[in-house]
PDB file of all heavy atoms in Angstrom:
ATOM      1  N   LEU G  18      16.624 -19.833   1.266  1.00 97.00           N
ATOM      2  CA  LEU G  18      17.211 -19.516  -0.034  1.00 97.00           C
ATOM      3  C   LEU G  18      18.643 -19.016   0.123  1.00 97.00           C
ATOM      4  O   LEU G  18      19.526 -19.409  -0.650  1.00 97.00           O
ATOM      5  CB  LEU G  18      16.353 -18.476  -0.753  1.00 97.00           C
ATOM      6  CG  LEU G  18      16.783 -18.119  -2.163  1.00 97.00           C
ATOM      7  CD1 LEU G  18      16.774 -19.349  -3.062  1.00 97.00           C
ATOM      8  CD2 LEU G  18      15.883 -17.033  -2.728  1.00 97.00           C
ATOM      9  N   ALA G  19      18.889 -18.171   1.120  1.00 97.00           N
ATOM     10  CA  ALA G  19      20.241 -17.661   1.343  1.00 97.00           C
ATOM     11  C   ALA G  19      21.204 -18.800   1.681  1.00 97.00           C
ATOM     12  O   ALA G  19      22.330 -18.853   1.166  1.00 97.00           O
ATOM     13  CB  ALA G  19      20.232 -16.617   2.457  1.00 97.00           C
ATOM     14  N   GLU G  20      20.765 -19.729   2.522  1.00 96.00           N
ATOM     15  CA  GLU G  20      21.626 -20.859   2.872  1.00 96.00           C
ATOM     16  C   GLU G  20      21.869 -21.742   1.651  1.00 96.00           C
ATOM     17  O   GLU G  20      22.994 -22.196   1.412  1.00 96.00           O
ATOM     18  CB  GLU G  20      20.993 -21.681   3.999  1.00 96.00           C
ATOM     19  CG  GLU G  20      21.907 -22.796   4.483  1.00 96.00           C
ATOM     20  CD  GLU G  20      21.331 -23.624   5.614  1.00 96.00           C
ATOM     21  OE1 GLU G  20      20.348 -23.202   6.249  1.00 96.00           O
ATOM     22  OE2 GLU G  20      21.885 -24.720   5.851  1.00 96.00           O
ATOM     23  N   LEU G  21      20.834 -21.963   0.860  1.00 97.00           N
ATOM     24  CA  LEU G  21      20.976 -22.774  -0.345  1.00 97.00           C
ATOM     25  C   LEU G  21      21.951 -22.135  -1.326  1.00 97.00           C
ATOM     26  O   LEU G  21      22.828 -22.805  -1.879  1.00 97.00           O
ATOM     27  CB  LEU G  21      19.610 -22.970  -1.010  1.00 97.00           C
ATOM     28  CG  LEU G  21      19.559 -23.835  -2.256  1.00 97.00           C
ATOM     29  CD1 LEU G  21      20.111 -25.233  -1.990  1.00 97.00           C
ATOM     30  CD2 LEU G  21      18.132 -23.909  -2.781  1.00 97.00           C
ATOM     31  N   GLU G  22      21.837 -20.834  -1.519  1.00 97.00           N
ATOM     32  CA  GLU G  22      22.770 -20.136  -2.411  1.00 97.00           C
ATOM     33  C   GLU G  22      24.205 -20.242  -1.907  1.00 97.00           C
ATOM     34  O   GLU G  22      25.141 -20.395  -2.693  1.00 97.00           O
ATOM     35  CB  GLU G  22      22.353 -18.678  -2.555  1.00 97.00           C
ATOM     36  CG  GLU G  22      21.091 -18.496  -3.372  1.00 97.00           C
ATOM     37  CD  GLU G  22      20.569 -17.067  -3.386  1.00 97.00           C
ATOM     38  OE1 GLU G  22      20.946 -16.275  -2.490  1.00 97.00           O
ATOM     39  OE2 GLU G  22      19.779 -16.743  -4.281  1.00 97.00           O
ATOM     40  N   GLY G  23      24.395 -20.164  -0.591  1.00 96.00           N
ATOM     41  CA  GLY G  23      25.726 -20.311  -0.013  1.00 96.00           C
ATOM     42  C   GLY G  23      26.301 -21.697  -0.256  1.00 96.00           C
ATOM     43  O   GLY G  23      27.489 -21.845  -0.588  1.00 96.00           O
ATOM     44  N   LEU G  24      25.460 -22.707  -0.090  1.00 95.00           N
ATOM     45  CA  LEU G  24      25.911 -24.082  -0.337  1.00 95.00           C
ATOM     46  C   LEU G  24      26.290 -24.283  -1.797  1.00 95.00           C
ATOM     47  O   LEU G  24      27.297 -24.930  -2.099  1.00 95.00           O
ATOM     48  CB  LEU G  24      24.813 -25.074   0.043  1.00 95.00           C
ATOM     49  CG  LEU G  24      24.593 -25.320   1.524  1.00 95.00           C
ATOM     50  CD1 LEU G  24      23.377 -26.206   1.737  1.00 95.00           C
ATOM     51  CD2 LEU G  24      25.823 -25.945   2.154  1.00 95.00           C
ATOM     52  N   ILE G  25      25.507 -23.721  -2.681  1.00 95.00           N
ATOM     53  CA  ILE G  25      25.805 -23.845  -4.111  1.00 95.00           C
ATOM     54  C   ILE G  25      27.152 -23.206  -4.433  1.00 95.00           C
ATOM     55  O   ILE G  25      27.976 -23.776  -5.148  1.00 95.00           O
ATOM     56  CB  ILE G  25      24.675 -23.233  -4.954  1.00 95.00           C
ATOM     57  CG1 ILE G  25      23.415 -24.089  -4.826  1.00 95.00           C
ATOM     58  CG2 ILE G  25      25.094 -23.088  -6.416  1.00 95.00           C
ATOM     59  CD1 ILE G  25      22.169 -23.456  -5.393  1.00 95.00           C
ATOM     60  N   ALA G  26      27.394 -22.025  -3.873  1.00 95.00           N
ATOM     61  CA  ALA G  26      28.673 -21.342  -4.112  1.00 95.00           C
ATOM     62  C   ALA G  26      29.845 -22.172  -3.588  1.00 95.00           C
ATOM     63  O   ALA G  26      30.879 -22.286  -4.256  1.00 95.00           O
ATOM     64  CB  ALA G  26      28.656 -19.960  -3.461  1.00 95.00           C
ATOM     65  N   GLN G  27      29.681 -22.771  -2.410  1.00 94.00           N
ATOM     66  CA  GLN G  27      30.745 -23.608  -1.845  1.00 94.00           C
ATOM     67  C   GLN G  27      31.020 -24.815  -2.739  1.00 94.00           C
ATOM     68  O   GLN G  27      32.171 -25.151  -3.009  1.00 94.00           O
ATOM     69  CB  GLN G  27      30.357 -24.110  -0.449  1.00 94.00           C
ATOM     70  CG  GLN G  27      30.384 -23.063   0.628  1.00 94.00           C
ATOM     71  CD  GLN G  27      29.868 -23.610   1.954  1.00 94.00           C
ATOM     72  OE1 GLN G  27      29.517 -24.781   2.068  1.00 94.00           O
ATOM     73  NE2 GLN G  27      29.808 -22.747   2.959  1.00 94.00           N
ATOM     74  N   MET G  28      29.952 -25.448  -3.191  1.00 93.00           N
ATOM     75  CA  MET G  28      30.119 -26.640  -4.016  1.00 93.00           C
ATOM     76  C   MET G  28      30.721 -26.294  -5.375  1.00 93.00           C
ATOM     77  O   MET G  28      31.552 -27.033  -5.899  1.00 93.00           O
ATOM     78  CB  MET G  28      28.787 -27.360  -4.179  1.00 93.00           C
ATOM     79  CG  MET G  28      28.288 -27.979  -2.878  1.00 93.00           C
ATOM     80  SD  MET G  28      26.657 -28.720  -3.036  1.00 93.00           S
ATOM     81  CE  MET G  28      27.014 -30.096  -4.108  1.00 93.00           C
ATOM     82  N   GLU G  29      30.315 -25.166  -5.939  1.00 94.00           N
ATOM     83  CA  GLU G  29      30.850 -24.766  -7.246  1.00 94.00           C
ATOM     84  C   GLU G  29      32.318 -24.381  -7.174  1.00 94.00           C
ATOM     85  O   GLU G  29      33.027 -24.464  -8.180  1.00 94.00           O
ATOM     86  CB  GLU G  29      30.025 -23.610  -7.813  1.00 94.00           C
ATOM     87  CG  GLU G  29      28.668 -24.034  -8.325  1.00 94.00           C
ATOM     88  CD  GLU G  29      27.844 -22.889  -8.874  1.00 94.00           C
ATOM     89  OE1 GLU G  29      28.140 -21.715  -8.558  1.00 94.00           O
ATOM     90  OE2 GLU G  29      26.884 -23.161  -9.612  1.00 94.00           O
ATOM     91  N   SER G  30      32.769 -23.977  -5.991  1.00 94.00           N
ATOM     92  CA  SER G  30      34.177 -23.604  -5.853  1.00 94.00           C
ATOM     93  C   SER G  30      35.100 -24.804  -6.055  1.00 94.00           C
ATOM     94  O   SER G  30      36.238 -24.648  -6.469  1.00 94.00           O
ATOM     95  CB  SER G  30      34.437 -22.971  -4.489  1.00 94.00           C
ATOM     96  OG  SER G  30      34.427 -23.963  -3.467  1.00 94.00           O
ATOM     97  N   GLY G  31      34.593 -25.998  -5.749  1.00 91.00           N
ATOM     98  CA  GLY G  31      35.384 -27.212  -5.922  1.00 91.00           C
ATOM     99  C   GLY G  31      36.465 -27.389  -4.876  1.00 91.00           C
ATOM    100  O   GLY G  31      37.337 -28.239  -5.030  1.00 91.00           O
ATOM    101  N   ASN G  32      36.411 -26.618  -3.805  1.00 93.00           N
ATOM    102  CA  ASN G  32      37.453 -26.686  -2.780  1.00 93.00           C
ATOM    103  C   ASN G  32      37.094 -27.583  -1.607  1.00 93.00           C
ATOM    104  O   ASN G  32      37.864 -27.686  -0.665  1.00 93.00           O
ATOM    105  CB  ASN G  32      37.766 -25.277  -2.255  1.00 93.00           C
ATOM    106  CG  ASN G  32      38.365 -24.403  -3.323  1.00 93.00           C
ATOM    107  OD1 ASN G  32      39.057 -24.885  -4.219  1.00 93.00           O
ATOM    108  ND2 ASN G  32      38.087 -23.109  -3.251  1.00 93.00           N
ATOM    109  N   GLN G  33      35.943 -28.234  -1.637  1.00 92.00           N
ATOM    110  CA  GLN G  33      35.528 -29.079  -0.536  1.00 92.00           C
ATOM    111  C   GLN G  33      35.916 -30.528  -0.793  1.00 92.00           C
ATOM    112  O   GLN G  33      35.895 -30.993  -1.940  1.00 92.00           O
ATOM    113  CB  GLN G  33      34.008 -29.025  -0.347  1.00 92.00           C
ATOM    114  CG  GLN G  33      33.488 -27.707   0.155  1.00 92.00           C
ATOM    115  CD  GLN G  33      31.987 -27.777   0.402  1.00 92.00           C
ATOM    116  OE1 GLN G  33      31.246 -28.318  -0.414  1.00 92.00           O
ATOM    117  NE2 GLN G  33      31.552 -27.226   1.512  1.00 92.00           N
ATOM    118  N   PRO G  34      36.228 -31.245   0.277  1.00 95.00           N
ATOM    119  CA  PRO G  34      36.449 -32.686   0.111  1.00 95.00           C
ATOM    120  C   PRO G  34      35.134 -33.374  -0.273  1.00 95.00           C
ATOM    121  O   PRO G  34      34.044 -32.817  -0.096  1.00 95.00           O
ATOM    122  CB  PRO G  34      36.926 -33.155   1.486  1.00 95.00           C
ATOM    123  CG  PRO G  34      36.883 -31.989   2.389  1.00 95.00           C
ATOM    124  CD  PRO G  34      36.442 -30.795   1.631  1.00 95.00           C
ATOM    125  N   LEU G  35      35.231 -34.567  -0.774  1.00 94.00           N
ATOM    126  CA  LEU G  35      34.069 -35.303  -1.254  1.00 94.00           C
ATOM    127  C   LEU G  35      33.002 -35.445  -0.174  1.00 94.00           C
ATOM    128  O   LEU G  35      31.818 -35.200  -0.428  1.00 94.00           O
ATOM    129  CB  LEU G  35      34.483 -36.686  -1.762  1.00 94.00           C
ATOM    130  CG  LEU G  35      33.353 -37.581  -2.265  1.00 94.00           C
ATOM    131  CD1 LEU G  35      32.627 -36.916  -3.431  1.00 94.00           C
ATOM    132  CD2 LEU G  35      33.888 -38.937  -2.661  1.00 94.00           C
ATOM    133  N   GLU G  36      33.381 -35.820   1.019  1.00 95.00           N
ATOM    134  CA  GLU G  36      32.396 -36.024   2.098  1.00 95.00           C
ATOM    135  C   GLU G  36      31.652 -34.725   2.414  1.00 95.00           C
ATOM    136  O   GLU G  36      30.437 -34.720   2.591  1.00 95.00           O
ATOM    137  CB  GLU G  36      33.071 -36.569   3.356  1.00 95.00           C
ATOM    138  CG  GLU G  36      32.059 -36.956   4.425  1.00 95.00           C
ATOM    139  CD  GLU G  36      32.696 -37.666   5.608  1.00 95.00           C
ATOM    140  OE1 GLU G  36      33.676 -38.412   5.414  1.00 95.00           O
ATOM    141  OE2 GLU G  36      32.198 -37.474   6.721  1.00 95.00           O
ATOM    142  N   ALA G  37      32.371 -33.623   2.459  1.00 94.00           N
ATOM    143  CA  ALA G  37      31.735 -32.328   2.728  1.00 94.00           C
ATOM    144  C   ALA G  37      30.790 -31.947   1.593  1.00 94.00           C
ATOM    145  O   ALA G  37      29.712 -31.395   1.828  1.00 94.00           O
ATOM    146  CB  ALA G  37      32.788 -31.247   2.935  1.00 94.00           C
ATOM    147  N   SER G  38      31.180 -32.251   0.375  1.00 93.00           N
ATOM    148  CA  SER G  38      30.315 -31.977  -0.777  1.00 93.00           C
ATOM    149  C   SER G  38      29.043 -32.806  -0.720  1.00 93.00           C
ATOM    150  O   SER G  38      27.961 -32.317  -1.049  1.00 93.00           O
ATOM    151  CB  SER G  38      31.051 -32.257  -2.081  1.00 93.00           C
ATOM    152  OG  SER G  38      32.090 -31.330  -2.272  1.00 93.00           O
ATOM    153  N   LEU G  39      29.164 -34.054  -0.315  1.00 95.00           N
ATOM    154  CA  LEU G  39      27.981 -34.903  -0.193  1.00 95.00           C
ATOM    155  C   LEU G  39      27.035 -34.396   0.887  1.00 95.00           C
ATOM    156  O   LEU G  39      25.815 -34.386   0.703  1.00 95.00           O
ATOM    157  CB  LEU G  39      28.388 -36.350   0.089  1.00 95.00           C
ATOM    158  CG  LEU G  39      29.046 -37.080  -1.068  1.00 95.00           C
ATOM    159  CD1 LEU G  39      29.574 -38.437  -0.618  1.00 95.00           C
ATOM    160  CD2 LEU G  39      28.084 -37.233  -2.226  1.00 95.00           C
TER     161      LEU G  39
END
Side-chain angles (χ1 to χ4, degrees):
L18 184 60
E20 185 179 345
L21 182 57
E22 289 173 341
L24 285 174
I25 291 169
Q27 288 175 1
M28 292 176 68
E29 286 179 341
S30 74
N32 295 329
Q33 291 184 316
L35 179 60
E36 187 173 326
S38 292
L39 290 172

